[in-house]
Amino acid sequence: MPQVELQFGGGLESLTGGNKVVPANFSGEQVVLGRVIDWIRTCLIKEKHEYFVQGEHIRPGILVLINDVDWELEGKTSYVIQEGDRITFISTLHGG
Amino acid sequence: MKRLCSHCGKSFANILVGREDKYLCRCCFFEYFEDTVHRTIVEECLLQPGERIAIGASGGKDSTVLAYVLKLLNERYYYNWDLWLLSIDEGIQGYRDDSLRTVEQNRDDYNLPLYTLSYSELYNWTMDQVVSQIGRKSNCTFCGVFRRQALDKGTEKIQANVLATGHNADDIAETILLNLLRGDHARFSRSVMEENANYRMSIDSDSKKIRRVKPLKRVYEKEIVMYAYFKKLKYFATECIYAPFAYRGHAREYLKSLERIRPHSISDILYSLSCISLEDSKTRVGQQCIRCGSISSQNICKACLLRTSLDRGQGVLAVKRSGMAILSKNTVESEIPQTVSESSTESNIS
């Protein structure tokens, strides 16, 4: 049952009711990041889901970090989450 | 599986710098980012030591990072730049008033002077009023034209001759794509020329014309956001309340989707851009607007035309191509018809 901390920034916090930090528990072994994203889309975000996920992918322009490491270095959605991981989602799409 | 930084080989890597397949630790990434900006400035002679520089500051990620990095480079290399924050208040309640507070925060954090200029003092119109007249369809056209001129006027007011904006590589690719998709030949040529001629323009510009420079043009949006995140810079990240209706959004989404399939898309577009060579068109002869004195390719500049259309309650006309021609004809004919030809000959000679 890994517990992780989800962080939202760059405007994405508007999708989670203004919450920048959301703790979450996942049951089972070998929980991959793809499942976490799915959970965020279905359970955490109440509206405008397309601002977070488009089709099966996370919306282009959203950066993801796992414990401050670019998820592109960690296998993206196939990364297996560990107890205490901090997963950060930052939108790059807002303003200049 | 943790990877070591491909540069120092000592710390674990934090970020993949896409286009070169580099993976860097936090420290090496900072160095890489600041170096890239510094090299852009030096190689393209964007800024001269000791000059006064206006930084177009919106409170967003790009301008916040730009202000931070310019201040840092100024101290690191003893450039003796006189840096100013220049902010434009478009008059959009619930958006700009909040972001202006972020700019004020930047002013205090970075200890830089701030000058703010508003649409209402310049044009007697706020964007909220513009939208209430013309609706939400072409409002970004008004805002874009007004902002461009407002930044020029602000730069003049603080007596700087160079304006630095936070445009990044993604923005430039986006603009090129946008004008291509629209089939806007004139604007496409102008944007291509503006990007490619920057070097030449900054060298042989006469002292009167304000130079516009983009020190972040070689860094990517991802890198800017990562830099701001790791440096814990505070920026304002709310979409303009009128922007979701802008056509630019489509180009942006398209570009980001392209990037997912092909990570090099943006650098490909920028490379293609640098290969395009266009003949200097005659319309670029700089002349002054007979009304406000701004540099313009026509007798009356676009900002003045748009403003007149609003004053007459004909704002909607102005953003239709045919409407603009009628409006432009009416405006020129009704005002100072004699001086038009004189002033245009004069500016042709100079």
Side-chain angles (χ1 to χ4, degrees), chain B residues 69-224:
Chain B
V69 174
L70 286 184
K71 184 179 165 65
L72 183 142
L73 294 175
N74 200 19
E75 284 162 8
R76 185 178 293 167
Y77 296 99
Y78 306 102
Y79 279 128
N80 204 17
W81 290 327
D82 183 10
L83 300 170
W84 280 66
L85 298 171
L86 169 60
S87 203
I88 305 301
D89 182 358
E90 295 94 345
I92 302 172
Q93 247 188 22
Y95 169 68
R96 189 46 101 206
D97 36 5
D98 289 343
S99 62
L100 280 175
R101 239 163 279 145
T102 316
V103 182
E104 285 163 8
Q105 184 78 44
N106 290 349
R107 174 196 63 195
D108 300 338
D109 291 348
Y110 307 152
N111 196 21
L112 297 174
L114 165 67
Y115 183 78
T116 311
L117 201 57
S118 70
Y119 282 5
S120 68
E121 59 186 295
L122 275 176
Y123 309 111
N124 226 356
W125 284 89
T126 65
M127 270 316 285
D128 286 337
Q129 292 168 327
V130 172
V131 169
S132 71
Q133 183 187 116
I134 66 158
R136 293 189 168 200
K137 225 178 159 194
S138 296
N139 51 72
C140 293
T141 305
F142 282 82
C143 198
V145 171
F146 284 168
R147 188 179 316 97
R148 193 178 167 90
Q149 195 181 83
L151 283 168
D152 277 343
K153 300 256 182 218
T155 309
E156 252 169 52
K157 281 256 168 68
I158 59 176
Q159 297 183 310
N161 43 20
V162 57
L163 168 69
T165 54
H167 293 96
N168 57 48
D170 299 52
D171 292 330
I172 294 168
E174 195 180 291
T175 303
I176 295 298
L177 201 61
L178 179 75
N179 290 331
L180 196 66
L181 291 173
R182 269 189 180 145
D184 190 334
H185 170 257
R187 238 184 246 150
F188 177 76
S189 315
R190 216 178 312 146
S191 53
V192 168
M193 222 133 44
E194 228 176 72
E195 294 312 327
N196 291 344
N198 232 345
Y199 176 72
R200 184 169 41 97
M201 263 170 53
S202 53
I203 294 289
D204 55 35
S205 66
D206 52 276
S207 54
K208 264 178 86 183
K209 199 178 171 196
I210 290 164
R211 280 146 51 218
R212 289 176 162 260
V213 299
K214 298 172 184 168
L216 301 184
K217 66 202 264 188
R218 291 193 206 164
V219 291
Y220 291 79
E221 194 154 56
K222 173 183 174 180
E223 296 166 3
I224 290 172

Side-chain angles (χ1 to χ4, degrees), chain A residues 59 68 70 72 92 95-96, chain B residues 14 16 58 61 222 229 253:
Chain A
R59 186 183 182 195
D68 276 355
D70 193 346
E72 297 192 54
T92 65
Chain B
N14 285 89
L16 182 77
S58 65
K61 57 183 168 27
K222 173 183 174 180
Y229 174 76
E253 290 270 323

Side-chain angles (χ1 to χ4, degrees), chain B residues 42-75:
Chain B
V42 172
E43 288 173 11
E44 304 193 21
C45 302
L46 297 186
L47 304 169
Q48 306 302 319
E51 70 181 341
R52 180 170 292 175
I53 298 159
I55 303 170
S58 65
K61 57 183 168 27
D62 301 305
S63 57
T64 299
V65 168
L66 178 65
Y68 178 87
V69 174
L70 286 184
K71 184 179 165 65
L72 183 142
L73 294 175
N74 200 19
E75 284 162 8

Side-chain angles (χ1 to χ4, degrees), chain A residues 7 9-13 50-51 54 56-76 79 86 88 90-96, chain B residues 1-3 13-17 22-24 26 58-64 95 221-223 225-226 229-230 232 235-240 244 252-253 256-257 260:
Chain A
Q7 293 188 335
L12 281 178
E13 62 271 26
E50 71 280 8
Y51 279 53
Q54 288 176 350
E56 291 182 1
H57 300 278
I58 199 141
R59 186 183 182 195
I62 293 178
L63 302 180
V64 187
L65 294 120
I66 302 158
N67 302 318
D68 276 355
V69 175
D70 193 346
W71 78 331
E72 297 192 54
L73 293 167
E74 299 273 16
K76 297 176 121 178
Y79 171 81
R86 187 159 40 90
T88 312
I90 314 171
S91 173
T92 65
L93 295 170
H94 295 292
Chain B
M1 191 189 64
K2 297 230 175 288
R3 272 195 256 183
N14 285 89
I15 167 169
L16 182 77
V17 182
K22 280 183 178 178
Y23 27 98
L24 302 175
R26 206 180 293 223
S58 65
K61 57 183 168 27
D62 301 305
S63 57
T64 299
Y95 169 68
E221 194 154 56
K222 173 183 174 180
E223 296 166 3
V225 174
M226 287 286 196
Y229 174 76
F230 286 126
K232 298 190 168 56
Y235 64 88
F236 185 76
T238 300
E239 191 69 81
C240 171
R252 198 177 172 79
E253 290 270 323
K256 289 274 180 272
S257 309
R260 189 175 60 214

